mmCIF file of all heavy atoms in Angstrom:
data_model
loop_
_atom_site.group_PDB
_atom_site.id
_atom_site.type_symbol
_atom_site.label_atom_id
_atom_site.label_comp_id
_atom_site.label_asym_id
_atom_site.label_seq_id
_atom_site.Cartn_x
_atom_site.Cartn_y
_atom_site.Cartn_z
ATOM 1 N N VAL A 280 56.837 -16.287 -3.912
ATOM 2 C CA VAL A 280 55.546 -16.935 -4.176
ATOM 3 C C VAL A 280 55.791 -18.392 -4.544
ATOM 4 O O VAL A 280 56.546 -18.691 -5.470
ATOM 5 C CB VAL A 280 54.787 -16.220 -5.322
ATOM 6 C CG1 VAL A 280 53.434 -16.891 -5.564
ATOM 7 C CG2 VAL A 280 54.606 -14.738 -5.008
ATOM 8 N N TYR A 287 45.983 -31.860 1.177
ATOM 9 C CA TYR A 287 44.872 -32.818 1.177
ATOM 10 C C TYR A 287 43.810 -32.208 2.085
ATOM 11 O O TYR A 287 43.903 -32.300 3.310
ATOM 12 C CB TYR A 287 45.331 -34.177 1.718
ATOM 13 C CG TYR A 287 46.218 -34.958 0.772
ATOM 14 C CD1 TYR A 287 47.607 -34.875 0.858
ATOM 15 C CD2 TYR A 287 45.677 -35.785 -0.200
ATOM 16 C CE1 TYR A 287 48.419 -35.594 -0.009
ATOM 17 C CE2 TYR A 287 46.480 -36.511 -1.072
ATOM 18 C CZ TYR A 287 47.858 -36.409 -0.966
ATOM 19 O OH TYR A 287 48.669 -37.109 -1.831
ATOM 20 N N GLU A 312 50.291 -44.264 13.848
ATOM 21 C CA GLU A 312 50.678 -43.260 12.867
ATOM 22 C C GLU A 312 49.883 -43.462 11.586
ATOM 23 O O GLU A 312 49.715 -44.574 11.115
ATOM 24 C CB GLU A 312 52.175 -43.383 12.576
ATOM 25 C CG GLU A 312 52.694 -42.399 11.540
ATOM 26 C CD GLU A 312 54.168 -42.641 11.229
ATOM 27 O OE1 GLU A 312 54.512 -43.761 10.786
ATOM 28 O OE2 GLU A 312 54.963 -41.710 11.429
ATOM 29 N N GLY A 325 53.937 -46.949 2.701
ATOM 30 C CA GLY A 325 53.330 -45.648 2.471
ATOM 31 C C GLY A 325 54.081 -44.527 3.166
ATOM 32 O O GLY A 325 55.055 -44.742 3.883
ATOM 33 N N ARG A 335 45.677 -25.787 7.685
ATOM 34 C CA ARG A 335 46.113 -24.524 7.098
ATOM 35 C C ARG A 335 47.143 -23.812 7.958
ATOM 36 O O ARG A 335 48.072 -23.179 7.438
ATOM 37 C CB ARG A 335 44.911 -23.604 6.861
ATOM 38 C CG ARG A 335 45.285 -22.323 6.108
ATOM 39 C CD ARG A 335 44.082 -21.465 5.824
ATOM 40 N NE ARG A 335 43.519 -20.906 7.046
ATOM 41 C CZ ARG A 335 42.438 -20.148 7.086
ATOM 42 N NH1 ARG A 335 41.785 -19.866 5.966
ATOM 43 N NH2 ARG A 335 41.978 -19.676 8.221
ATOM 44 N N GLN A 366 30.220 -39.454 -8.465
ATOM 45 C CA GLN A 366 30.835 -39.117 -7.180
ATOM 46 C C GLN A 366 31.974 -38.110 -7.372
ATOM 47 O O GLN A 366 32.135 -37.178 -6.573
ATOM 48 C CB GLN A 366 31.354 -40.377 -6.490
ATOM 49 C CG GLN A 366 31.816 -40.146 -5.058
ATOM 50 C CD GLN A 366 32.261 -41.452 -4.386
ATOM 51 O OE1 GLN A 366 32.063 -42.539 -4.924
ATOM 52 N NE2 GLN A 366 32.860 -41.333 -3.209
ATOM 53 N N ALA A 372 33.086 -30.376 -6.882
ATOM 54 C CA ALA A 372 32.386 -29.126 -6.551
ATOM 55 C C ALA A 372 32.555 -28.785 -5.071
ATOM 56 O O ALA A 372 32.790 -27.622 -4.708
ATOM 57 C CB ALA A 372 30.913 -29.247 -6.909
ATOM 58 N N THR A 376 34.800 -25.596 -3.413
ATOM 59 C CA THR A 376 34.228 -24.671 -2.433
ATOM 60 C C THR A 376 35.081 -24.647 -1.166
ATOM 61 O O THR A 376 35.338 -23.579 -0.590
ATOM 62 C CB THR A 376 32.786 -25.076 -2.100
ATOM 63 O OG1 THR A 376 31.997 -25.038 -3.297
ATOM 64 C CG2 THR A 376 32.173 -24.144 -1.072
ATOM 65 N N GLU A 380 37.255 -21.405 0.449
ATOM 66 C CA GLU A 380 37.179 -20.950 1.846
ATOM 67 C C GLU A 380 38.555 -20.989 2.507
ATOM 68 O O GLU A 380 38.935 -20.077 3.247
ATOM 69 C CB GLU A 380 36.198 -21.815 2.630
ATOM 70 C CG GLU A 380 36.039 -21.365 4.080
ATOM 71 C CD GLU A 380 35.016 -22.187 4.848
ATOM 72 O OE1 GLU A 380 34.487 -23.154 4.292
ATOM 73 O OE2 GLU A 380 34.769 -21.853 6.025
ATOM 74 N N LEU A 388 48.438 -10.557 3.245
ATOM 75 C CA LEU A 388 49.857 -10.258 3.298
ATOM 76 C C LEU A 388 50.032 -8.880 3.918
ATOM 77 O O LEU A 388 49.394 -7.919 3.508
ATOM 78 C CB LEU A 388 50.445 -10.285 1.890
ATOM 79 C CG LEU A 388 51.953 -10.087 1.758
ATOM 80 C CD1 LEU A 388 52.698 -11.215 2.445
ATOM 81 C CD2 LEU A 388 52.352 -10.017 0.288
ATOM 82 N N THR A 389 50.855 -8.796 4.932
ATOM 83 C CA THR A 389 51.049 -7.529 5.639
ATOM 84 C C THR A 389 51.973 -6.631 4.836
ATOM 85 O O THR A 389 53.181 -6.811 4.800
ATOM 86 C CB THR A 389 51.648 -7.776 7.039
ATOM 87 O OG1 THR A 389 50.818 -8.689 7.741
ATOM 88 C CG2 THR A 389 51.738 -6.483 7.821
ATOM 89 N N GLY A 430 43.216 -21.162 -11.143
ATOM 90 C CA GLY A 430 43.437 -22.148 -12.181
ATOM 91 C C GLY A 430 42.979 -23.497 -11.688
ATOM 92 O O GLY A 430 42.167 -23.595 -10.756
ATOM 93 N N PRO A 445 40.609 -35.849 -28.336
ATOM 94 C CA PRO A 445 39.778 -34.786 -28.928
ATOM 95 C C PRO A 445 38.550 -34.445 -28.083
ATOM 96 O O PRO A 445 38.027 -33.322 -28.186
ATOM 97 C CB PRO A 445 39.365 -35.371 -30.281
ATOM 98 C CG PRO A 445 40.421 -36.381 -30.602
ATOM 99 C CD PRO A 445 40.845 -36.962 -29.287
ATOM 100 N N ILE A 450 36.786 -28.563 -23.348
ATOM 101 C CA ILE A 450 37.284 -28.200 -22.020
ATOM 102 C C ILE A 450 38.463 -27.238 -22.158
ATOM 103 O O ILE A 450 38.535 -26.223 -21.446
ATOM 104 C CB ILE A 450 37.704 -29.462 -21.233
ATOM 105 C CG1 ILE A 450 36.610 -30.536 -21.303
ATOM 106 C CG2 ILE A 450 38.048 -29.093 -19.802
ATOM 107 C CD1 ILE A 450 35.238 -30.063 -20.881
ATOM 108 N N HIS A 464 50.374 -31.962 -13.520
ATOM 109 C CA HIS A 464 51.164 -32.639 -12.482
ATOM 110 C C HIS A 464 51.052 -34.145 -12.672
ATOM 111 O O HIS A 464 49.975 -34.679 -12.929
ATOM 112 C CB HIS A 464 50.643 -32.241 -11.101
ATOM 113 C CG HIS A 464 51.536 -32.621 -9.962
ATOM 114 N ND1 HIS A 464 51.717 -33.927 -9.556
ATOM 115 C CD2 HIS A 464 52.297 -31.865 -9.132
ATOM 116 C CE1 HIS A 464 52.548 -33.954 -8.523
ATOM 117 N NE2 HIS A 464 52.919 -32.720 -8.252
ATOM 118 N N ALA A 496 53.125 -36.620 -21.475
ATOM 119 C CA ALA A 496 51.826 -35.957 -21.561
ATOM 120 C C ALA A 496 51.935 -34.624 -22.304
ATOM 121 O O ALA A 496 51.101 -34.308 -23.169
ATOM 122 C CB ALA A 496 51.264 -35.734 -20.163
ATOM 123 N N ALA A 517 54.832 -29.169 -14.038
ATOM 124 C CA ALA A 517 55.558 -29.468 -12.809
ATOM 125 C C ALA A 517 56.973 -29.930 -13.124
ATOM 126 O O ALA A 517 57.272 -30.401 -14.222
ATOM 127 C CB ALA A 517 54.820 -30.551 -12.017
ATOM 128 N N LYS A 545 51.681 -26.259 -36.959
ATOM 129 C CA LYS A 545 51.956 -24.990 -37.627
ATOM 130 C C LYS A 545 53.416 -24.573 -37.482
ATOM 131 O O LYS A 545 53.933 -23.813 -38.294
ATOM 132 C CB LYS A 545 51.054 -23.897 -37.051
ATOM 133 C CG LYS A 545 49.579 -24.057 -37.398
ATOM 134 C CD LYS A 545 48.767 -22.887 -36.840
ATOM 135 C CE LYS A 545 47.289 -23.025 -37.202
ATOM 136 N NZ LYS A 545 46.482 -21.906 -36.654
ATOM 137 N N VAL A 560 61.296 -26.114 -9.964
ATOM 138 C CA VAL A 560 61.598 -27.188 -9.017
ATOM 139 C C VAL A 560 62.545 -28.166 -9.710
ATOM 140 O O VAL A 560 62.166 -29.255 -10.122
ATOM 141 C CB VAL A 560 60.308 -27.878 -8.535
ATOM 142 C CG1 VAL A 560 60.617 -28.934 -7.482
ATOM 143 C CG2 VAL A 560 59.345 -26.841 -7.947
ATOM 144 N N SER A 595 67.391 -14.225 -20.148
ATOM 145 C CA SER A 595 66.373 -13.510 -19.381
ATOM 146 C C SER A 595 64.974 -13.757 -19.923
ATOM 147 O O SER A 595 64.000 -13.804 -19.165
ATOM 148 C CB SER A 595 66.658 -12.003 -19.390
ATOM 149 O OG SER A 595 67.810 -11.699 -18.641
ATOM 150 N N ARG A 600 58.993 -17.148 -17.794
ATOM 151 C CA ARG A 600 57.972 -18.198 -17.726
ATOM 152 C C ARG A 600 58.328 -19.278 -16.703
ATOM 153 O O ARG A 600 57.823 -20.400 -16.786
ATOM 154 C CB ARG A 600 57.762 -18.813 -19.112
ATOM 155 C CG ARG A 600 57.004 -17.876 -20.042
ATOM 156 C CD ARG A 600 56.777 -18.457 -21.417
ATOM 157 N NE ARG A 600 55.863 -17.622 -22.173
ATOM 158 C CZ ARG A 600 54.550 -17.827 -22.285
ATOM 159 N NH1 ARG A 600 53.993 -18.872 -21.689
ATOM 160 N NH2 ARG A 600 53.791 -17.017 -22.990
ATOM 161 N N SER A 621 64.107 -28.697 0.048
ATOM 162 C CA SER A 621 63.376 -28.407 -1.193
ATOM 163 C C SER A 621 63.208 -26.909 -1.394
ATOM 164 O O SER A 621 63.113 -26.433 -2.533
ATOM 165 C CB SER A 621 62.005 -29.091 -1.178
ATOM 166 O OG SER A 621 61.233 -28.630 -0.082
ATOM 167 N N ILE A 623 65.412 -24.496 0.262
ATOM 168 C CA ILE A 623 66.752 -23.910 0.230
ATOM 169 C C ILE A 623 67.448 -24.193 -1.100
ATOM 170 O O ILE A 623 68.030 -23.287 -1.727
ATOM 171 C CB ILE A 623 67.596 -24.452 1.392
ATOM 172 C CG1 ILE A 623 66.911 -24.146 2.735
ATOM 173 C CG2 ILE A 623 69.000 -23.866 1.347
ATOM 174 C CD1 ILE A 623 66.581 -22.706 2.969
ATOM 175 N N ASN A 625 66.197 -25.018 -4.061
ATOM 176 C CA ASN A 625 65.587 -24.365 -5.217
ATOM 177 C C ASN A 625 65.855 -22.863 -5.227
ATOM 178 O O ASN A 625 66.058 -22.266 -6.290
ATOM 179 C CB ASN A 625 64.089 -24.659 -5.270
ATOM 180 C CG ASN A 625 63.804 -26.047 -5.810
ATOM 181 O OD1 ASN A 625 64.369 -26.450 -6.821
ATOM 182 N ND2 ASN A 625 62.936 -26.788 -5.145
ATOM 183 N N ALA A 648 54.769 -15.035 -10.939
ATOM 184 C CA ALA A 648 53.523 -15.619 -10.428
ATOM 185 C C ALA A 648 52.476 -14.557 -10.180
ATOM 186 O O ALA A 648 51.291 -14.751 -10.498
ATOM 187 C CB ALA A 648 53.801 -16.402 -9.148
#
Side-chain angles (χ1 to χ4, degrees):
V280 181
Y287 287 94
E312 179 184 59
R335 186 177 68 182
Q366 189 177 350
T376 300
E380 182 177 4
L388 184 63
T389 305
I450 312 307
H464 193 289
K545 291 183 179 179
V560 184
S595 291
R600 287 180 170 264
S621 60
I623 302 305
N625 282 313

